[in-house]
Every structure is written in structure tokens, then in C-alpha cells.
Amino acid sequence: MYLKSIMEFDERQGTLSYTVGFEITWKDYRLMWNSYLYGGVWYLNVPLTMIWFPELLLSSPATSRSYITQSWSKARIYYDGFVLYVEGALIESTCEVNVKYYPFDVQSCNTSFISLGYTYKDVNLMWVKESIDITLYPGNSMWDLESTSVSVQTVATGGGQQEMFVTFNLRRKPGYAIVNVLLPILFLGILNAFVFLLIPESGERIGYCITTLLAIAVYMTIIMSSLPQSSDPTPLINYKLLIDLVYSALIIVAVILNMRLNGKDDDVPVPKILVSFYLALMCRACGGKPVRPASNGFTADQNATSSNESSSKLQESDIPDYSPVNSVDAQKVTWKKISSLLDISFFVLFVFLSFLIFVVFISILKSGS
């Protein structure tokens, strides 16, 4: 068998179409002659209808055309009874598709042929090579042909009939899917987190979140429409898009709660835990040194520059006071400052989660494929 080209591999329909050339040989003792008695004729080309030939049937057809050998074709008969039949055909075969690790998936497609009506005692199917000849194969833009194999098995329930299996091992070229599927998914996740950089007074935060959520949902529909609707196994990319939907929903919840904090009146006291959280994160603004209560935002070193009050301030600094609500710094903490700090924290957190989820997803795909 000589592979000429792989025409199409339809993952959604589970079909593989390719063009091949068959070289079928057999020996018929009834067609032997002495070439010296017939003017040195060594071979003859005759129509198949004039001789017996094994009718090969495609037992895994995707269309109505299942017979490989055609009666109108011709065969070459040699003087010793050896018959050579060469046929070119477009094979459209079914294939079990496994897109669990899309777009780094590897597909193994089996095409089976059977000589219908004959047992292994009548017609013994044998292969010359254990793989398909790919000398004439120019390659495919979407799939890499990793290997091929040919094997013959006896059908247990077919009365001793033999079936020949031709296997194609195909690996998807992921470049197209990476540019058009994976990278847009990553960019949508990162853009989702940029909602925290919008000014709350703009009134566009909720609209931005919902637009991004709908974009992910539409993208999920487009990807699922191009893959087979299979539950066993389910493509991992579907779970990735589902996680992105949950991720986007969490961002919407975080935005709504943070906007409520931003809109609170300044007369409402800020809880101690939020004040402590704010002061702990904003400590870097003063060089990483703790801000003393009643220090008006200056560090202990800055306060010690005053010679007249140095002794009293040193004595005051020796007594730790961790009641931020009663300090001057705590009195400066407002709901808007808490909201602004949460915006920055949520932005960093969700961008990090977006990258982390994407890296873990790619690692699982690569290891599984």
C-alpha cells in the first residue's frame, strides 16, 4: 500500500479520508502457460471480469463506497500464474477520535479490509511490509504522520475470515490552535482582572465584567462546536473554559463587594481587622519600619531627630501599642483607601491566578499527550 495524501480528518464526524495505491498480488495455477510456446509472451493485461480476483471490502466505511477492487480495472498476468493488480482509491474510513488533550492530541485511526465470502483457507491475506510506503506522501498541514502499521487478524465470529487492519498514528500540529485558541483564552483571563484598575466613579466596572464573561462564554461555544460531542473522554479544554467562567464570576463578586466598600460613608467606622490589614500592607511606604501610634505617619527614627523630646519619645517607643483604631494612622484610614488597596490586591491576585491556571493546564496537556 502506497500513501499518496491525507485529504481530511474530520474530528467532529470521526472520519479519515486519504488516497492510496494498492498493489495486490496472488497466484492462480489455472493461468499458467509456457511462454516459449506462445511467441515469448511473458505477461498479459486483461480486464478483471475475465479472471477470478479477491474482492476486498472496506469494513470500516464512512460512505456507501466500500469495495476497493473494481471489475472494470485491469490486471497483469504473468506466465507462471502470478497476477498483479494495481488500484488507486480514495478511502473514507471511520475513526475513533480522542480529543482529551486537544490541541496536543495524538489520534490512532484503524482502517480495516476484509475479503468477504472467503475464509483464511480460501484466501490468505498477507502483507509484504509491516508499514505503509510513504515515499509519495507530501505531508499534511494539520497533522504529522508519526507511524503506520499493517496487521492481519482472523475474525472469531466470521467463520474463519481474515481482516486486515491499517493503522495511522497522527499527531496534531498545535501551532494553529495555540494562536487561535489558547492565547486568546489567556488574554481574556488577564483582561478580566484589569477591571480593578478602572476608577469606581466611572460606573463601567460591572459592564466590563459582564462583557468579558460573555466573551468567554461565546468562545467556549465556538470551541465546543468544532470538537466532537463526546463525554468519554471530555476534552480538558472544556474544563479550562469552565474554570475561566468561574474565575470571571468571582471577579464580578469581588467588584460588587468592593464597590459597596467604596460607597460607604466616612462616618461609618472601619473595623479594626481592615485597619490592621491596611497598615500592614502600606508599611512599605515608610521604608518597611513600623509606624508608631500617635506618630502622625512618621517613623521612630524620624521622631528621634528632635533633641528636646528625644527622651520622652524613646520612653514612649519602649511601650508597644498595637491598637490601630486609637492611633492617628488608624484615624486616617477610610473606606475609599481600603477599597483602593483591595483593587490593587485583587488585580495582582487574579492576574497571578490566570497565569497559574494557564501554566498548569498546558503542563497537563503536554504530559498527557
Side-chain angles (χ1 to χ4, degrees):
M1 181 181 291
Y2 302 89
L3 178 63
K4 177 60 178 176
S5 64
I6 296 178
M7 303 295 294
E8 182 183 10
F9 183 30
D10 191 340
E11 304 112 294
R12 187 172 177 82
Q13 298 297 330
T15 59
L16 175 64
S17 303
Y18 57 94
T19 55
V20 292
F22 289 94
E23 186 177 294
I24 306 173
T25 60
W26 67 92
K27 192 169 185 178
D28 193 339
Y29 69 93
R30 299 171 300 177
L31 302 178
M32 299 174 61
W33 74 87
N34 191 335
S35 60
Y36 295 103
L37 299 179
Y38 294 92
V41 177
W42 292 82
Y43 62 87
L44 295 173
N45 293 327
V46 297
L48 282 180
T49 53
M50 300 181 61
I51 60 174
W52 175 91
F53 62 93
E55 296 183 354
L56 284 182
L57 177 69
L58 178 64
S59 54
S60 58
T63 60
S64 58
R65 187 179 184 273
S66 56
Y67 280 97
I68 305 303
T69 51
Q70 303 294 330
S71 59
W72 45 263
S73 299
K74 291 185 178 182
R76 175 169 292 188
I77 308 174
Y78 291 89
Y79 71 97
D80 57 355
F82 181 81
V83 183
L84 173 63
Y85 170 63
V86 178
E87 178 69 59
L90 172 62
I91 305 298
E92 296 180 86
S93 174
T94 58
C95 177
E96 282 192 30
V97 180
N98 185 348
V99 290
K100 180 178 180 179
Y101 299 104
Y102 173 88
F104 300 101
D105 51 324
V106 177
Q107 305 297 334
S108 182
C109 296
N110 289 320
T111 304
S112 56
F113 303 92
I114 190 171
S115 184
L116 195 62
Y118 298 97
T119 66
Y120 69 93
K121 296 181 179 179
D122 302 323
V123 176
N124 186 19
L125 296 179
M126 302 176 63
W127 67 94
V128 179
K129 297 181 180 179
E130 294 184 352
S131 61
I132 302 175
D133 192 332
I134 58 174
T135 305
L136 303 177
Y137 177 63
N140 186 270
S141 60
M142 294 296 295
W143 298 90
D144 283 326
L145 182 61
E146 290 196 328
S147 62
T148 61
S149 62
V150 181
S151 61
V152 175
Q153 299 178 6
T154 301
V155 182
T157 59
Q161 291 181 342
Q162 287 184 323
E163 193 169 14
M164 182 173 65
F165 294 92
V166 180
T167 304
F168 296 87
N169 295 315
L170 303 171
R171 179 179 293 274
R172 187 190 303 271
K173 295 180 179 179
Y176 177 84
I178 290 176
V179 174
N180 294 278
V181 178
L182 296 184
L183 290 182
I185 291 176
L186 175 62
F187 295 152
L188 284 175
I190 296 176
L191 283 175
N192 218 350
F194 272 82
V195 67
F196 295 105
L197 300 184
L198 288 176
I199 302 175
E201 290 76 11
S202 65
E204 298 293 334
R205 284 194 167 190
I206 298 298
Y208 182 93
C209 289
I210 294 178
T211 301
T212 309
L213 178 65
L214 292 177
I216 295 176
V218 171
Y219 212 77
M220 184 177 183
T221 304
I222 295 174
I223 294 175
M224 292 179 63
S225 64
S226 63
L227 298 177
Q229 298 178 356
S230 173
S231 298
D232 185 23
T234 301
L236 293 180
I237 194 171
N238 289 352
Y239 294 111
K240 171 63 170 66
L241 292 172
L242 181 60
I243 292 175
D244 286 346
L245 286 176
V246 176
Y247 166 87
S248 183
L250 290 177
I251 289 181
I252 293 178
V253 173
V255 167
I256 293 174
L257 295 179
N258 197 24
M259 289 180 66
R260 286 181 59 87
L261 296 180
N262 185 78
K264 282 194 174 185
D265 195 275
D266 292 337
D267 296 334
V268 180
V270 180
K272 292 183 179 181
I273 186 172
L274 291 181
V275 174
S276 301
F277 172 74
Y278 178 85
L279 293 178
L281 291 183
M282 296 302 294
C283 183
R284 292 181 177 274
C286 58
K289 299 178 181 180
V291 179
R292 307 295 181 184
S295 62
N296 292 328
F298 295 100
T299 65
D301 293 340
Q302 293 170 330
N303 290 332
T305 57
S306 176
S307 60
N308 294 330
E309 300 177 357
S310 61
S311 59
S312 62
K313 290 186 177 181
L314 287 173
Q315 293 175 358
E316 181 183 1
S317 63
D318 292 337
I319 304 175
D321 183 5
Y322 299 107
S323 56
V325 176
N326 297 325
S327 67
V328 177
D329 292 311
Q331 295 174 3
K332 294 180 179 179
V333 178
T334 62
W335 287 108
K336 292 187 181 298
K337 290 184 178 180
I338 294 291
S339 176
S340 178
L341 180 62
L342 289 177
D343 280 338
I344 298 175
S345 302
F346 282 143
F347 173 74
V348 175
L349 173 63
F350 282 106
V351 169
F352 172 75
L353 285 178
S354 181
F355 276 107
L356 179 62
I357 293 172
F358 185 79
V359 170
V360 171
F361 171 66
I362 295 297
S363 300
I364 294 175
L365 291 182
K366 294 292 289 183
S367 62
S369 62

